[in-house]
């Protein structure tokens, strides 16, 4: 399919399969095949090449959004960011209009808020992160306090910061999908936020992993790709 679909520069969004999406999923499949389950080590080369093809595609012009948090705010506000978000599942509507293509991103996996005052769109907050994951992040890494909510919402939508203790690191909601940023206010547990299947950061990390395996250690190219992701997050 790689030669039969348009480049993302023509489609201009990640809601359809593009050449970049095909290459990225092929890289992911090949990387999996090279791993322990299948063990076909030759697939590391294919994974590296497919990822590199995305990185080197000047027309597609993929690059990281300089603000990690903005990646997910864009999903909440129904804004496309094809430079970073290569392939995403589309959702639309909230069951209060004529559309019924809504999803649960943020409404089920989000920061708990059950009031219907429209201060913030409601969320069940079903999923908590783990203290193990919290401790894996370095201080200063913007991904930690965005992905693992450092606060809870009070009744009026105000934020109360969590106590910073080892015990409390286990009681924090997943914070990546924040309904407070959604473009349309509603009282339902339905959301129009899109869900990413493939981002350019995934591509960079797949390239780094495959290249590292092929060369039995970190090359300058692999380190550069890895550090692009880490530096963007402030790690």
């Amino acid at each position: 399919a790689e030669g039969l679909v348009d480049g993302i520069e023509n489609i201009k969004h990640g809601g359809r399969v593009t050449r970049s999406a095909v290459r990225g999923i092929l890289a992911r499949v090949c990387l999996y095949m090279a791993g322990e389950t299948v063990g076909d080590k030759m697939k590391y080369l294919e994974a590296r090449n497919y990822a590199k093809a995305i990185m080197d595609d000047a027309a597609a012009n993929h690059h990281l959004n300089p603000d990690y948090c903005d990646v997910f705010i864009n999903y909440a506000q129904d804004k496309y960011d094809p430079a970073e978000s290569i392939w995403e599942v589309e959702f639309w509507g909230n069951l209060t209009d004529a559309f019924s293509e809504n999803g649960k991103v943020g409404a089920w996996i989000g920061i708990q808020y059950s009031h219907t005052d429209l201060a913030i769109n409601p969320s069940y907050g079903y999923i908590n992160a783990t203290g193990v994951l919290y401790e894996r992040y370095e201080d200063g890494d913007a991904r930690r306090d965005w992905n693992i909510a450092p606060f809870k919402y009070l009744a009026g939508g105000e934020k109360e910061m969590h106590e910073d203790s080892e015990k409390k690191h286990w009681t924090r909601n997943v914070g990546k999908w924040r309904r407070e940023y959604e473009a349309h206010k509603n009282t339902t547990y339905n959301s129009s936020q899109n869900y990413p299947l493939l981002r350019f950061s995934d591509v960079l990390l797949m390239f780094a992993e495959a290249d590292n395996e092929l060369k039995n250690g970190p090359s300058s190219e692999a380190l550069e790709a890895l550090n692009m992701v880490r530096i963007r997050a402030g790690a």
Side-chain angles (χ1 to χ4, degrees):
E2 182 186 3
L4 301 176
V5 294
D6 271 342
I8 200 166
E9 67 275 12
N10 295 324
I11 294 177
K12 302 187 187 311
H13 64 82
R16 288 177 55 189
V17 174
T18 63
R19 192 175 302 116
S20 296
V22 172
R23 289 169 173 169
I25 297 303
L26 283 168
R28 184 176 289 169
V29 169
C30 289
L31 196 59
Y32 181 87
M33 292 179 69
E36 293 303 318
T37 305
V38 179
D40 184 355
K41 303 301 182 184
M42 294 300 296
K43 291 296 180 182
Y44 279 124
L45 179 60
E46 290 187 61
R48 180 194 186 280
N49 290 345
Y50 281 124
K52 192 70 162 59
I54 299 172
M55 296 161 61
D56 290 345
D57 190 339
N61 190 29
H62 289 294
H63 54 269
L64 295 176
N65 186 318
D67 188 329
Y68 176 79
C69 303
D70 195 46
V71 173
F72 301 96
I73 293 173
N74 283 336
Y75 292 126
Q77 297 183 344
D78 291 322
K79 294 179 181 177
Y80 290 120
D81 181 10
E84 164 116 10
S85 185
I86 295 175
W87 194 24
E88 55 195 73
V89 180
E90 299 258 28
F91 294 107
W92 187 259
N94 54 37
L95 290 188
T96 63
D97 50 27
F99 299 97
S100 59
E101 297 176 358
N102 58 281
K104 303 297 184 181
V105 178
W108 286 21
I109 306 174
I111 304 172
Q112 196 276 331
Y113 186 75
S114 58
H115 301 274
T116 57
D117 55 10
L118 291 185
I120 300 168
N121 293 349
S123 173
Y124 289 117
Y126 281 148
I127 306 298
N128 281 355
T130 71
V132 173
L133 176 61
Y134 185 92
E135 297 295 337
R136 292 295 299 271
Y137 287 105
E138 303 163 25
D139 289 339
D141 191 329
R143 295 172 296 188
R144 186 191 69 186
D145 287 345
W146 184 267
N147 298 339
I148 304 174
F151 61 84
K152 64 180 179 180
Y153 292 120
L154 301 179
E158 303 89 354
K159 297 176 182 178
E160 181 179 280
M161 302 306 292
H162 286 303
E163 177 186 340
D164 189 15
S165 68
E166 185 175 352
K167 179 181 178 181
K168 291 297 183 180
H169 295 169
W170 290 84
T171 62
R172 302 183 180 203
N173 287 145
V174 171
K176 188 176 287 186
W177 314 104
R178 303 190 181 189
R179 300 205 74 192
E180 67 178 280
Y181 292 101
E182 287 187 4
H184 307 290
K185 299 299 182 183
N186 69 84
T187 60
T188 73
Y189 290 89
N190 301 282
S191 170
S192 63
Q193 291 197 44
N194 288 4
Y195 184 83
L197 298 175
L198 182 70
R199 292 175 24 225
F200 186 57
S201 52
D202 300 325
V203 172
L204 293 170
L205 295 176
M206 288 191 293
F207 170 82
E209 182 176 350
D211 190 75
N212 185 71
E213 293 292 334
L214 286 168
K215 297 179 180 177
N216 296 313
S219 68
S220 59
E221 284 186 293
L223 285 171
E224 181 180 8
L226 174 65
N227 284 328
M228 286 173 66
V229 176
R230 288 178 53 77
I231 290 169
R232 189 265 296 270

